[in-house]
């Protein structure tokens, strides 16, 4: 990478915490190199407390764009000049562009697009599906909205009774009003309802941080009876590649237990196009990422 850095190199950032585990720098920098683009992509540990200063830094230094991950996806909206229609509906941003490096910041959300593309890659069809989804944060909301746009019949959101729970109610209302899907929200503490919902669903998606540091030993499903061979289980976490949930699902007969690598790849590809105007060499990057041990 160093041989292609110059005084003209344009910087793309990633702001989140924790973030040192992220494969996004590898993905984008390899794509820049493959296409001969004079860009560099760097990760920065930034939480809500540092976010305002970080966004001002993007403006001041002419950073051409940034990816945004937990816990900043919703908080960053207040610091941007405008957001795209899908980001407005989702209420979260994972990609920011700095128009010509002149300080006009536009927020987008490519998470849902990435999740649906990842499922499609695995031969999973969301059209007319009943989906149980845990997590009502930025990623979960994006997945729910995009699944509705892509024709899901019903999306049943489960979350603990926190601030995100109230936001999930608004998301469900928007989905029900603006798409052909029906969306509901239930407290995750109602385990009977949670298990019943999964039994009636063809897809279960975990969009929480369970399974990722520091929650490596956490899985929201611990009952073997919940797992069935025809139930697709999709965990948006990709580090580790096999979370406790995915390991448990495979041990008890799940035929499709999918991690978040594909979602990361395809949301990144959409962001890459926004940053550079070029198509990411997805086949090359996919082979690079999925072949690593």
């Amino acid at each position: 990478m160093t041989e292609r850095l110059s005084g003209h190199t344009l910087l793309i950032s990633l702001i989140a915490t924790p973030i040192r585990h992220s494969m996004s720098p590898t993905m984008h920098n390899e794509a820049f190199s493959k296409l001969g683009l004079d860009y560099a992509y760097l990760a920065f540990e930034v939480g809500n407390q540092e976010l305002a200063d970080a966004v001002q830094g993007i403006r001041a230094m002419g950073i051409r764009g940034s990816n945004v991950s937990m816990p900043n996806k919703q908080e960053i909206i207040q610091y941007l000049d405008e957001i795209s229609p899908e980001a407005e509906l989702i209420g979260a941003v994972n990609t920011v562009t700095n128009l010509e490096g002149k300080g006009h910041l536009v927020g987008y959300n490519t998470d849902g697009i990435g999740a649906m593309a990842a499922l499609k890659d695995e031969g999973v069809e969301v059209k007319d599906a009943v989906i149980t989804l845990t997590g009502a944060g930025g990623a979960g909301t994006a997945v729910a909205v995009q699944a509705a746009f892509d024709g899901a019949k019903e999306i049943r959101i489960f979350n603990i009774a926190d601030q995100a729970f109230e936001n999930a109610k608004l998301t469900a209302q928007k989905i029900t009003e603006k798409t052909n899907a029906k969306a509901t929200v239930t407290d995750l503490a109602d385990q009977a309802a949670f298990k019943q919902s999964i039994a009636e669903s063809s897809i279960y998606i975990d969009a929480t941080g369970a399974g990722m540091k520091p929650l490596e030993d956490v899985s929201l499903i611990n009952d073997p009876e919940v797992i069935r061979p025809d139930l697709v289980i999709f965990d948006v976490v990709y580090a580790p590649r096999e979370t406790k949930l995915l390991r448990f699902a495979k041990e008890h007969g799940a035929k499709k237990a999918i991690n978040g690598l594909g979602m990361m790849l395809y949301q990144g590809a959409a962001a890459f196009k926004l940053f550079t105007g070029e198509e990411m060499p997805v086949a090359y990057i996919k082979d690079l990422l999925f072949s690593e041990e």
Side-chain angles (χ1 to χ4, degrees), residues 158-192:
F158 285 78
N159 199 78
I160 60 174
D162 60 4
Q163 185 177 356
F165 187 85
E166 297 304 315
N167 181 67
K169 290 180 180 178
L170 296 176
T171 300
Q173 182 180 346
K174 292 176 185 177
I175 288 173
T176 301
E177 290 176 352
K178 297 184 178 184
T179 74
N180 293 324
K182 175 185 177 183
T184 58
V185 184
T186 305
D187 190 337
L188 186 58
D190 189 344
Q191 284 291 294

Side-chain angles (χ1 to χ4, degrees), residues 115-131 146-154 201-205 230 232 256 258:
M116 295 304 105
L119 287 171
K120 186 176 181 180
D121 236 14
E122 296 287 340
V124 179
E125 180 59 67
V126 300
K127 183 174 173 56
D128 298 324
V130 175
I131 299 172
Q146 196 63 47
F149 282 154
D150 286 6
K153 178 182 178 181
E154 191 172 346
S201 300
S202 60
I203 304 171
Y204 168 67
I205 302 175
D230 64 329
V232 174
K256 283 191 182 293
I258 306 164

Side-chain angles (χ1 to χ4, degrees), residues 34 53 66 68 71 88 116 158 176 179 227 271 279 291:
K34 180 72 171 176
D53 288 341
S66 184
V68 183
E88 184 174 6
M116 295 304 105
F158 285 78
T176 301
T179 74
I227 308 299
E279 297 289 345
S291 63

Side-chain angles (χ1 to χ4, degrees), residues 21 26 56 65 99 101 109 175 182 195 199 204 234 261 277 282:
H21 66 279
T26 299
Q56 184 56 32
L99 190 61
N109 197 303
I175 288 173
K182 175 185 177 183
K195 292 178 182 180
Y204 168 67
F234 178 34
L261 266 181
V282 170

Side-chain angles (χ1 to χ4, degrees), residues 20-287:
R20 296 306 175 192
H21 66 279
S22 177
M23 296 184 71
S24 290
T26 299
M27 174 174 64
H28 284 273
N29 286 316
E30 290 290 348
F32 296 150
S33 180
K34 180 72 171 176
L35 298 181
L37 300 177
D38 197 3
Y39 286 80
Y41 186 109
L42 296 176
F44 299 91
E45 291 276 352
V46 173
N48 288 170
Q49 290 185 331
E50 303 85 13
L51 187 58
D53 288 341
V55 174
Q56 184 56 32
I58 291 172
R59 294 185 197 276
M61 294 189 293
I63 294 173
R64 288 306 177 99
S66 184
N67 278 136
V68 183
S69 193
M70 296 185 292
N72 302 317
K73 292 183 178 183
Q74 294 163 319
E75 288 294 318
I76 197 170
I77 291 175
Q78 63 189 301
Y79 304 118
L80 304 179
D81 297 299
E82 61 178 298
I83 60 175
S84 65
E86 86 281 351
E88 184 174 6
L89 182 58
I90 293 166
V93 161
N94 80 325
T95 301
V96 174
T97 59
N98 184 356
L99 190 61
E100 296 181 354
K102 295 181 179 179
H104 185 82
L105 305 185
V106 184
Y108 302 86
N109 197 303
T110 66
D111 279 332
I113 294 170
M116 295 304 105
L119 287 171
K120 186 176 181 180
D121 236 14
E122 296 287 340
V124 179
E125 180 59 67
V126 300
K127 183 174 173 56
D128 298 324
V130 175
I131 299 172
T132 295
L133 168 71
T134 47
T141 302
V143 170
V145 168
Q146 196 63 47
F149 282 154
D150 286 6
K153 178 182 178 181
E154 191 172 346
I155 302 153
R156 301 172 179 180
I157 303 168
F158 285 78
N159 199 78
I160 60 174
D162 60 4
Q163 185 177 356
F165 187 85
E166 297 304 315
N167 181 67
K169 290 180 180 178
L170 296 176
T171 300
Q173 182 180 346
K174 292 176 185 177
I175 288 173
T176 301
E177 290 176 352
K178 297 184 178 184
T179 74
N180 293 324
K182 175 185 177 183
T184 58
V185 184
T186 305
D187 190 337
L188 186 58
D190 189 344
Q191 284 291 294
F194 180 51
K195 292 178 182 180
Q196 182 64 31
S197 179
I198 294 175
E200 296 170 353
S201 300
S202 60
I203 304 171
Y204 168 67
I205 302 175
D206 188 328
T208 72
M212 182 175 67
K213 288 184 179 181
L215 304 172
E216 301 100 317
D217 295 326
V218 176
S219 171
L220 299 183
I221 295 179
N222 297 287
D223 183 351
E225 293 186 3
V226 173
I227 308 299
R228 13 176 257 275
D230 64 329
L231 176 67
V232 174
I233 296 180
F234 178 34
D235 193 333
V236 305
V237 171
Y238 65 86
R241 295 196 181 189
E242 185 175 75
T243 59
K244 184 177 180 180
L245 167 64
L246 296 181
R247 186 165 57 252
F248 183 83
K250 292 173 184 177
E251 288 172 353
H252 293 92
K255 292 184 178 178
K256 283 191 182 293
I258 306 164
N259 66 23
L261 266 181
M263 177 177 172
M264 188 270 293
L265 170 66
Y266 287 108
Q267 66 79 22
F272 187 90
K273 180 69 179 288
L274 290 169
F275 295 145
T276 68
E278 304 285 343
E279 297 289 345
M280 177 182 278
V282 170
Y284 170 77
I285 298 300
K286 183 177 180 181
D287 182 65

